[in-house]
Amino acid sequence: MATLHCLPDRQNLPIESTETILEVLQNHEIPVQHVCNGNGECSTCRIVVEAGLERCTPRTRKEEALAKKLDFPPNIRLSCQTGTTGDVTIRRLIIDAEDIAIADRQFDTGIGEYREQSVLVMTLRGGSDFDLSCFPYDALYVLNRFYYMVNRAVTRYQGRLSSALGNKIVVLFDRSQDGRSSALRTALAIANDLQKLDVLLENLGYAPLQLTMGIHHGPLLQVPVGQDSALLGDALGLANRIDAFAADQSINLLISEAVYQPLASETVVARRLEMPLPKYGFLPLYEIAALNTPEPEPELPSLPQRMQSLLQRFRLWPAKRR
Ligand code: FES
């Protein structure tokens, strides 16, 4: 007979090929949540298979549907839908009522994810001087122009505004095929637009804006929090450091080696620098002057999208004439 090694309980339980993991846990009075009574509908009996995934029975249709909906990786299984053909080690995941509440919410938000993304961190420098030296209307006018400009570039290259807090903006690039190239094109477009905006601001008697940007590419953990999500991972910290180093060096835009290498043949490098990193030595960084490849074709809106916008225009027509 096969053995089910159960964590965090540290129990070794015999399991028949006709039994589900949930049945074995219940028979041995191991506390396991099962809100839908083993019908494959709630996911509260979920477990992580730490060893022997290949000796677990394939997902049932119900489990397949739930796993797809919640974005479960292969080793997260529903114990009520899973049997074994040999020794398996599992860990219970839903321990108490709070875990049940979180599992319930995940039907709307998913469980979060860990994947490679490009991160663009930008900081509007001299923000506090700017606040003190301007009347509220002036500050709003200038900041509205600035954020409009940033949003236009981010939208154009399919980035996602992750946070805009104080003078710092974080943008993620995980939608387009090549996040690195999109992040770099966004940063170059913003730098270019900022030059024009600064000319306008000077003509209007405002001080020009100073912006620094850092881009890095690496794995990030995104966990749902309320309507939003929290972002964690070294890649974010490193992009922040690169942005701060750009400010130290009076450079507008720096990218890491991880961003530069795949794009090396497409970039015009103005300077190569090395940023000291505690424990790691020195990190090569690149100041990029331009990209020498043509812009990707903009994606045309789909036919249903165009139909929808056409219908909206007709619906707005009488309102506009009043
Ligand atoms: S007990 Fe509900 S899905 Fe397993």
Side-chain angles (χ1 to χ4, degrees):
M1 189 183 292
T3 301
L4 182 69
H5 305 284
C6 182
L7 301 170
D9 319 278
R10 296 189 189 175
Q11 292 219 33
N12 294 331
L13 313 171
I15 180 166
E16 300 274 3
S17 58
T18 51
E19 289 178 300
T20 64
I21 293 176
L22 177 66
E23 285 166 347
V24 174
L25 296 176
Q26 285 181 308
N27 290 343
H28 290 83
E29 295 181 356
I30 290 189
V32 54
Q33 306 295 337
H34 51 101
V35 170
C36 74
N37 281 325
N39 277 320
E41 289 164 359
C42 68
S43 92
T44 54
C45 67
R46 72 180 72 164
I47 50 168
V48 59
V49 179
E50 298 208 336
L53 185 59
E54 67 284 6
R55 291 186 287 279
C56 289
T57 53
R59 291 195 197 276
T60 61
R61 272 232 306 274
K62 279 185 169 177
E63 186 183 5
E64 191 69 58
L66 212 54
K68 197 169 167 200
K69 188 167 188 180
L70 292 172
D71 242 346
F72 280 172
N75 62 340
I76 303 285
R77 300 294 306 264
L78 299 181
S79 64
C80 71
Q81 305 291 305
T82 309
T84 75
T85 57
D87 293 357
V88 168
T89 303
I90 60 135
R91 180 180 293 278
R92 292 185 295 122
L93 292 177
I94 306 287
I95 309 294
D96 57 18
E98 215 155 285
D99 285 335
I100 294 180
I102 292 168
D104 193 34
R105 205 170 59 87
Q106 287 171 346
F107 278 95
D108 296 325
T109 62
I111 59 171
E113 55 187 345
Y114 192 65
R115 65 188 155 116
E116 298 261 329
Q117 300 186 52
S118 295
V119 196
L120 164 61
V121 172
M122 60 185 106
T123 307
L124 199 52
R125 305 280 166 186
S128 53
D129 296 349
F130 179 74
D131 291 344
L132 293 173
S133 62
C134 292
F135 293 114
Y137 173 78
D138 295 342
L140 282 175
Y141 172 78
V142 175
L143 289 175
N144 273 316
R145 291 289 302 237
F146 171 71
Y147 286 119
Y148 177 79
M149 182 194 86
V150 168
N151 193 46
R152 184 175 53 201
V154 169
T155 308
R156 180 173 176 191
Y157 295 106
Q158 298 180 298
R160 190 154 50 88
L161 208 61
S162 170
S163 72
L165 202 59
N167 58 349
K168 198 173 278 290
I169 298 175
V170 178
V171 188
L172 301 178
F173 294 84
D174 56 355
R175 288 182 186 161
S176 59
Q177 267 194 337
D178 186 356
R180 295 173 177 90
S181 165
S182 301
L184 185 51
R185 283 188 192 280
T186 302
L188 288 170
I190 289 172
N192 190 38
D193 288 349
L194 187 63
Q195 282 181 1
K196 294 179 203 154
L197 179 61
D198 275 347
V199 171
L200 173 78
L201 293 179
E202 276 197 278
N203 287 341
L204 293 173
Y206 296 110
L209 297 176
Q210 292 155 20
L211 185 73
T212 54
M213 293 179 275
I215 308 176
H216 182 56
H217 185 91
L220 279 173
L221 185 64
Q222 228 167 323
V223 187
V225 181
Q227 302 299 317
D228 244 311
S229 62
L231 203 60
L232 305 158
D234 285 351
L236 179 62
L238 211 46
N240 262 306
R241 277 172 181 257
I242 295 169
D243 172 49
F245 189 69
D248 289 346
Q249 303 295 316
S250 304
I251 293 174
N252 294 122
L253 166 64
L254 284 173
I255 66 173
S256 69
E257 184 84 16
V259 178
Y260 171 72
Q261 274 308 330
L263 303 175
S265 60
E266 304 170 35
T267 49
V268 180
V269 176
R271 246 187 296 181
R272 182 185 184 279
L273 296 92
E274 292 198 328
M275 176 174 77
L277 258 191
K279 288 195 227 156
Y280 295 99
F282 289 88
L283 185 77
L285 297 177
Y286 300 84
E287 182 187 6
I288 303 297
L291 270 164
N292 55 22
T293 46
E295 291 272 319
E297 288 289 322
E299 272 184 33
L300 287 173
S302 65
L303 192 59
Q305 281 170 332
R306 275 182 280 167
M307 286 294 290
Q308 194 183 12
S309 97
L310 204 62
L311 286 170
Q312 274 170 358
R313 285 184 67 173
F314 278 116
R315 232 179 280 145
L316 286 172
W317 178 256
K320 273 186 178 173
R321 295 186 65 179
R322 267 203 294 276

